Amino acid sequence: MNDDKKNQARKPLKAPERKANRRGAARLAAVQALYQMDIGGAGINDIFAEFECHWLGNEVEGDKYLPAEAAFFRDVVSGVVRDQAKLDPLIDEALSKGWPLKRIDAILRAVLRAGAYELEHRKDVPGRVVVSEYVDVAHAFVEAEETGMVNAVLDQIARQFRGSEFVRAGG
């Protein structure tokens, strides 16, 4: 991603073409909204209005954004806001010692919070799909090393909430 962090807050990125689905677009938008709320202090109602009126499924500055499942977008964003005091310590535990969540870049905090929320509350989506989707979202913003961290942290959280989905055959 070549945009600087200030532009990231104002201009959502296009969803990766290979993940061109409504929920994938909703996840990407939710992460962008959470990031914008974190760094800019925007309120949830302002974020919903901005994203639903101007970004989701619209053309902005010549880029066509994928239609997103608005209800899913709202659920993830509002769920993270509601449960953040519970999610942050959970993520802190899964991070390497010496790297608390507050030291992680704001965009990665948003990815981890959204993924953790979905793993805990969206049982209609398989845990491995949640982890994979948020690793893909992270790829839109950061380098491979950081996406590996996202994968490891969300995998650990997934095993806490969805242990039965992650039991290996023969072990």
Side-chain angles (χ1 to χ4, degrees):
M1 185 70 215
N2 293 334
D3 290 341
D4 62 18
K5 290 182 183 188
K6 287 182 182 178
N7 287 335
Q8 276 183 329
R10 283 181 256 142
K11 182 182 177 197
L13 299 173
K14 291 185 285 187
E17 293 299 323
R18 62 192 168 83
K19 289 294 181 184
N21 62 63
R22 294 175 63 84
R23 281 210 172 158
R27 286 180 180 101
L28 183 69
V31 166
Q32 292 168 316
L34 292 166
Y35 171 79
Q36 193 166 325
M37 291 172 73
D38 192 9
I39 67 158
I44 194 166
N45 291 330
D46 292 337
I47 287 293
F48 284 159
E50 178 182 343
F51 274 75
E52 290 173 2
C53 291
H54 301 291
W55 300 111
L56 304 182
N58 293 318
E59 187 170 317
V60 179
E61 298 175 13
D63 293 327
K64 175 70 177 160
Y65 290 83
L66 296 171
E69 188 177 318
F72 194 83
F73 165 78
R74 281 180 164 264
D75 178 56
V76 172
V77 173
S78 61
V80 168
V81 169
R82 182 189 64 235
D83 292 351
Q84 187 173 329
K86 178 181 173 186
L87 295 171
D88 284 1
L90 182 71
I91 296 165
D92 264 336
E93 272 187 42
L95 286 166
S96 297
K97 300 299 177 226
W99 284 100
L101 186 59
K102 66 184 178 192
R103 287 186 64 189
I104 301 295
D105 188 65
I107 195 68
L108 290 175
R109 281 196 305 267
V111 170
L112 293 172
R113 285 171 176 153
Y117 168 78
E118 196 171 331
L119 285 165
E120 182 177 9
H121 294 283
R122 296 300 306 233
K123 305 294 187 196
D124 57 316
V125 182
R128 291 183 196 281
V129 170
V130 173
V131 173
S132 175
E133 287 281 319
Y134 283 102
V135 168
D136 284 345
V137 168
H139 272 292
F141 300 103
V142 298
E143 300 297 322
E145 182 178 317
E146 293 162 307
T147 61
M149 180 272 295
V150 167
N151 185 56
V153 169
L154 291 180
D155 184 71
Q156 187 174 338
I157 292 169
R159 290 172 190 278
Q160 290 177 38
F161 289 124
R162 316 257 191 114
S164 63
E165 290 182 42
F166 288 83
V167 174
R168 296 199 197 299

